[in-house]
Amino acid sequence: MKFKPKSDMYKKKEQDSFDRQNFMKLINAKLVDVQPGFCEIHVPYDENLTQQHGFFHAGVISTVADNTAGYAAFSLMEENSSVLTVEFKINLISPGDGELLIGKSNVLKNGRTLTICKSEVFVIKNGKEKLCAVAQLTLIELKNSPDQK
């Protein structure tokens, strides 16, 4: 689906918001791509982000699914709005066993207040990409917020 952003400054708005997220710094996440209705985030492997088997922790995988959806939705919101997740459901399909997590999210439905997104989280191991999680999220636009996201 093709979407048109409500702000010409949506990429700057997204990067500024992402840069204010201390948790994204903590996990060394990178905002790789933002397009109207789409976002991609990468997280490199770090043993501090793992569970007992050495795989990426489900909390990190869920965070990537959540943030990619948030920024996919945010790209279509008014310049002075902010975004919050209202609800999400995630299916962990396979272990996050690899060197890099890649989260990608697309807007499925952009409403006046609520936006529905689908996120997919992949793991790269030995050059091969494998789907490890799929999520559906609902996000709300908070209008005229002085604090963007």
Side-chain angles (χ1 to χ4, degrees), residues 137-149:
L137 300 93
T138 304
L139 302 110
I140 189 167
E141 179 175 6
L142 303 174
K143 307 258 185 189
N144 302 317
S145 174
D147 158 35
Q148 296 176 340
K149 195 170 184 185

Side-chain angles (χ1 to χ4, degrees), residues 72-92:
F74 197 38
S75 71
L76 303 177
M77 294 181 181
E78 299 286 342
E79 190 163 338
N80 292 323
S81 293
S82 65
V83 62
L84 288 174
T85 302
V86 174
E87 172 275 336
F88 77 88
K89 189 241 189 276
I90 190 163
N91 289 93
L92 300 165

Side-chain angles (χ1 to χ4, degrees), residues 102-143:
I102 298 176
K104 298 178 182 181
S105 188
N106 289 289
V107 169
L108 300 175
K109 167 91 168 81
N110 181 236
R112 283 184 296 142
T113 304
L114 298 177
T115 299
I116 311 300
C117 294
K118 175 186 177 184
S119 294
E120 295 177 312
V121 182
F122 302 87
V123 65
I124 304 293
K125 183 173 185 176
N126 300 323
K128 295 185 180 176
E129 183 178 272
K130 184 175 184 180
L131 183 65
C132 68
V134 177
Q136 182 170 303
L137 300 93
T138 304
L139 302 110
I140 189 167
E141 179 175 6
L142 303 174
K143 307 258 185 189

Side-chain angles (χ1 to χ4, degrees), residues 14-32:
E14 301 251 338
Q15 188 65 60
D16 290 348
S17 174
F18 188 85
D19 291 345
R20 289 193 307 272
Q21 289 197 23
N22 290 329
F23 190 67
M24 292 295 97
K25 291 175 191 159
L26 181 69
I27 65 172
N28 201 23
K30 303 291 182 241
L31 184 62
V32 172

